[in-house]
Structures are given as structure tokens and as C-alpha cells.
Amino acid sequence: MVLLQFIGKLRRRVSSIAREWMSNYNNGDLEGGIPTENTSLLQNGNTNGSSIQVPAPGLERSKFRKTAMYMYKKTKLLLLSNYVNILLIFVPLGIVSGALEWGSTTTFILNFLAIIPLAALLSFATEELALKVGETVGGLLNASFGNAVELIVSIVALTKGEIRIVQASMLGSILSNILLVLGMCFFFGGLKYPEQTFNSTVASTMSSLMAVATSSLIIPAALYATLPKGEEESSKIVLQLSRGTAIVMLILYIMYLVFQLKTHADIFSEEHEIDNQEAVLNGTEAGVVLVAITLLVATCAEYLVGSIAGIVETSGISKTFIGLILIPIVGNAAEHVTAIVVAMKNKMDLAIGVAIGSSMQIALLVTPFLVILGWIIGQPMSLNFQIFETVIFFVSTYLTYHVVQDGKSNYLEGAMLLGIYIIIAISFFVYPDSSGQFVPPGSKP
């Protein structure tokens, strides 16, 4: 009887060990068992029980496939972020044309077309990064990189001593925003809606700051007109005034950022409604894209600016027309499309913020920064634009202020702004560079 009880206990014990063995075998944890993708350690068979870590063969392939698919999806979203990205094919062509010296006209056209999609990608990466760093820092990023293409092109031109190109591109960026972009927003929005409204307080504040920027150009021009012509001392006085004025304008812009992002942020709340979206890239990815695109823009800008002299000689087009009309179209193309699209969706506060806000950044941030940068690197960049350009800037700012002060718009007002911009473009097409009255010593005429 005792023997039968012992045999029963032994049988139950053996059955328990067998079930445990089969369970370990199925999970791939048994020494000498078949590993699965979840198996992380395989015994090496040593009697001391040591083990070595060997990744499962399928695990590495799975991780590689997931990484490849992730990069593919991110790249696809990046490339499909804007219609103008189809022009990215011109980026390698523009760089190759400049490196191999295919000719001034070919190099200029290819790099002209290449910078358009790069500007769109730069804007996209900036917005993605701004979504990750918070509203205040994001606003500073958008302010800093909002006109990055114009800034890069102007820095390249400034280092080459092309003061006329820099001055014309700055003025051209302002005019294209407050006349061309704003006019197209009013016109196309007005075709869809009989009358559109926007925050007149914000528009008036921006227009007032633009009036201050206009004064910063009129005063140096007026001072130069009262000084003896052709004397180097007169040029030095104008440069000193320009550098002091640039510092004041930078301080005013910093105060405006505090006004917009902190103390009176509620007034500008409608302007940022497009930012309520989910980010496509994380912070690291957006930063990498931002750096990569900036380097590509700098490369294309180098070849673009370097080909301008050849274009002027072969085509007869003035440097002023290239800097004032053509280059701003390159830098602002994607921004222009965005403003028009949101205007047709009746989001006029956002459209006003893009058009007039971008002009204000050029006038109060980028232009003074270039004056200070020229001071540092020894280039005589001043705020003394030619009299003809200064008058046009004043008339454009005056007209824009009267159009936006009532907080309403229609297609006729848009047609008025477009009409004056076309007249200005024609006038600068026939305007010779030799008509300038002020050529700072050390700059290229």
C-alpha cells in the first residue's frame, strides 16, 4: 500500500516536470531549445552557467524595415508639404551649373528656381520646430527664420561688396509684401467674398511701425542731400547715422516682439490660428532639416549672386531691377501662396500678419542687422537708399496704411495695390543703375 502511494506521488512529480519542460521549450527559454524572435539569451552550454547575448536573426531585419519605413513616411510628408517642392529637381542642377560654370544666364535661372522650393521647406521646418518649443520661443523662431532666404542672399551679396543688390533686395521684399502679396490677398479674397474684415488694431500697429521704418530711410537721404557732394567725409557721416539708426530700429523690433508675444498677445491671437496643428516632425528632425536646407540655400545663393554681374552685362537688366523685383519673388514665393490661400478662406487676420508682418521684419530686423553686419565685416552698408527708391517706399507705405486702417477689404482695393506695384516694377525696369547718387567707398557700383 505504501509502495503504491510512493509510485503515485512519483508519477505526479514526473508529470509536473514534463509540463514545465514543455512550457519552457515552447517559450524558447530551454537550453538547446529553438530560439524565437523574443529569445534574447542563448546558453552557450558551459557548465558554469554563463551566457552570451545573441540577437535573434529576424529582430535586426525587423528593426531595419521599421526604420526604413519611418524615414520613407517622413520624407514623403516633407516633400508633399507644398506644391512648389516639385522644383527641387533644380537644386542639384543649380549647384552643378555653378560649380562647372555653365554660364551666367543658365546658373542664374537654375538657382533662381532652386531657391523657391528650398524657401518653402525652410518655412515648413521652422513651423514644425516652433510647434515643439512653445508659443513664445516659437514666435521668436518664426520671426528669425521668416525671412531667412532674403537674409542669406543678402549676406552673400554683402560679403561680395554688392551694396546695391542688398539695398534693392531689402526694399523689394518690403514692396512685394505690402503691395503684391497684400494686393493679391485682397483681390482674390474679394472675388469670393464681397467684403472681408480683419483686426484693424493689429494692421494699424504694423503700418505705424512701417512708417517709422520709412522715416529711417528718409532721414539719411535728406542728410546726404544737405552735405557737399562727392566728399568722402559726407559718406562717413551718412554711415555713422545709418549705424546709429539701425541700433534704434533693432531695439524697436525687440519691443514689438514683447508687445506681440507677451504684453498684448490677446490682440494677435487670431493671427496664429494656423499654428493649431499637429507636428509632422519631432524637434530633432525639424532641426536637422532646418540646418540642411539653410546650407543648401546658402550654396544656391552663392551661385545666384555670383551670376548677377554676367546677367547685367549680357541682358542689359539693371542690378536694381534684379534685386528689387526678381530676388524677392524667389524668397517669398511660398509665403505668397500661403497668404493668398488663407485669404480665400476668409482668414484675413492671418493674411495681414503674413504680408505686413513679413515686411515689418525686413524693415526693422533684417535691414538694420545687415547694416550692423556690414559695420563688423568692413562693408559700407548704409540706410541711404537712392532718392527715387525712398520716395517709392514712402508712397507705398502711405497707400497701404490708408487701405488697411478701416479693417475692411475688397477686390478693388487689391487691384489698386497690384496696379501700383506693376507701375513700380516697370519704372525700375527702365531705371538705370548709373542714376544713383550715393556710392559708398569700398562698394561695387
Side-chain angles (χ1 to χ4, degrees), residues 20-35 39 41-43:
E20 184 179 354
W21 187 89
M22 289 300 297
S23 176
N24 292 336
Y25 179 85
N26 291 331
N27 292 330
D29 295 332
L30 186 65
E31 181 179 350
I34 301 174
T39 305
L41 293 177
L42 295 178
Q43 298 294 330

Side-chain angles (χ1 to χ4, degrees), residues 213-272:
T214 305
S215 302
S216 70
L217 300 187
I218 294 177
I219 293 174
L223 175 64
Y224 184 79
T226 63
L227 297 174
K229 301 296 187 296
E231 294 187 8
E232 185 175 348
E233 186 64 26
S234 299
S235 300
K236 291 182 178 179
I237 293 174
V238 172
L239 281 175
Q240 291 173 357
L241 173 62
S242 298
R243 290 162 180 170
T245 303
I247 294 174
V248 174
M249 291 169 68
L250 287 174
I251 294 174
L252 285 175
Y253 185 75
I254 293 173
M255 294 180 66
Y256 170 73
L257 287 180
V258 176
F259 181 86
Q260 179 188 27
L261 300 174
K262 281 290 185 183
T263 60
H264 293 71
D266 55 317
I267 301 178
F268 297 85
S269 59
E270 290 295 324
E271 184 184 335
H272 300 291

Side-chain angles (χ1 to χ4, degrees), residues 100-118:
L100 299 182
E101 299 181 354
W102 286 357
S104 298
T105 302
T106 302
T107 301
F108 181 85
I109 293 175
L110 290 177
N111 285 282
F112 181 90
L113 295 174
I115 291 179
I116 294 176
L118 291 177

Side-chain angles (χ1 to χ4, degrees), residues 38-340:
N38 297 323
T39 305
S40 60
L41 293 177
L42 295 178
Q43 298 294 330
N44 62 4
N46 293 337
T47 57
N48 57 9
S50 62
S51 61
I52 57 173
Q53 187 171 357
V54 180
L59 189 58
E60 288 188 353
R61 290 194 296 269
S62 177
K63 288 183 177 179
F64 177 78
R65 286 195 298 268
K66 289 179 180 179
T67 302
M69 287 300 298
Y70 179 82
M71 294 180 63
Y72 169 75
K73 290 179 180 179
K74 291 291 184 178
T75 304
K76 182 179 178 181
L77 291 172
L78 184 65
L79 295 179
L80 296 180
S81 61
N82 199 300
Y83 293 111
V84 300
N85 289 344
I86 194 174
L87 298 177
L88 284 171
I89 185 63
F90 292 104
V91 174
L93 292 176
I95 295 175
V96 171
S97 69
L100 299 182
E101 299 181 354
W102 286 357
S104 298
T105 302
T106 302
T107 301
F108 181 85
I109 293 175
L110 290 177
N111 285 282
F112 181 90
L113 295 174
I115 291 179
I116 294 176
L118 291 177
L121 289 176
L122 193 63
S123 176
F124 177 79
T126 302
E127 292 174 359
E128 290 293 304
L129 189 59
L131 292 174
K132 293 293 184 181
V133 296
E135 182 178 350
T136 302
V137 180
L140 292 173
L141 280 174
N142 283 318
S144 302
F145 288 92
N147 295 284
V149 173
E150 295 95 322
L151 179 61
I152 294 172
V153 173
S154 297
I155 289 176
V156 172
L158 185 62
T159 57
K160 294 178 179 291
E162 297 284 1
I163 306 297
R164 288 297 306 138
I165 295 293
V166 177
Q167 291 181 329
S169 63
M170 291 298 97
L171 179 60
S173 294
I174 296 172
L175 296 180
S176 68
N177 278 289
I178 64 176
L179 296 179
L180 177 62
V181 180
L182 191 61
M184 293 183 76
C185 289
F186 285 177
F187 182 78
F188 287 105
L191 292 179
K192 190 172 181 180
Y193 303 94
E195 185 176 78
Q196 295 177 290
T197 60
F198 49 86
N199 190 329
S200 59
T201 303
V202 174
S204 297
T205 300
M206 292 181 176
S207 298
S208 299
L209 286 170
M210 286 299 299
V212 173
T214 305
S215 302
S216 70
L217 300 187
I218 294 177
I219 293 174
L223 175 64
Y224 184 79
T226 63
L227 297 174
K229 301 296 187 296
E231 294 187 8
E232 185 175 348
E233 186 64 26
S234 299
S235 300
K236 291 182 178 179
I237 293 174
V238 172
L239 281 175
Q240 291 173 357
L241 173 62
S242 298
R243 290 162 180 170
T245 303
I247 294 174
V248 174
M249 291 169 68
L250 287 174
I251 294 174
L252 285 175
Y253 185 75
I254 293 173
M255 294 180 66
Y256 170 73
L257 287 180
V258 176
F259 181 86
Q260 179 188 27
L261 300 174
K262 281 290 185 183
T263 60
H264 293 71
D266 55 317
I267 301 178
F268 297 85
S269 59
E270 290 295 324
E271 184 184 335
H272 300 291
E273 62 180 270
I274 195 173
D275 292 336
N276 297 325
Q277 57 184 343
E278 184 179 353
V280 174
L281 306 175
N282 61 40
T284 303
E285 293 165 348
V288 171
V289 172
L290 196 63
V291 172
I293 298 301
T294 301
L295 293 176
L296 288 175
V297 170
T299 303
C300 291
E302 177 78 21
Y303 292 129
L304 179 74
V305 174
S307 64
I308 289 178
I311 288 287
V312 172
E313 293 178 1
T314 57
S315 66
I317 300 176
S318 66
K319 287 184 179 181
T320 303
F321 181 81
I322 292 175
L324 197 138
I325 303 298
L326 297 183
I327 292 180
I329 292 177
V330 172
N332 295 323
E335 204 170 39
H336 292 182
V337 174
T338 300
I340 296 169

Side-chain angles (χ1 to χ4, degrees), residues 353-429:
V354 171
I356 302 183
S358 181
S359 299
M360 195 177 56
Q361 289 175 10
I362 292 290
L364 295 179
L365 175 64
V366 178
T367 303
F369 171 78
L370 290 171
V371 173
I372 301 300
L373 180 62
W375 188 6
I376 294 173
I377 66 176
Q379 291 290 351
M381 171 67 184
S382 75
L383 294 175
N384 182 26
F385 288 37
Q386 297 177 6
I387 293 294
F388 181 60
E389 299 168 0
T390 305
V391 171
I392 284 180
F393 187 24
F394 172 78
V395 171
S396 301
T397 305
Y398 179 80
L399 177 62
T400 302
Y401 176 78
H402 279 278
V403 168
V404 303
Q405 68 176 350
D406 62 350
K408 300 177 182 179
S409 66
N410 53 61
Y411 74 88
L412 182 59
E413 291 179 338
M416 291 163 50
L417 295 176
L418 290 174
I420 192 67
Y421 183 78
I422 293 173
I423 293 173
I424 291 173
I426 295 174
S427 67
F428 277 107
F429 183 77

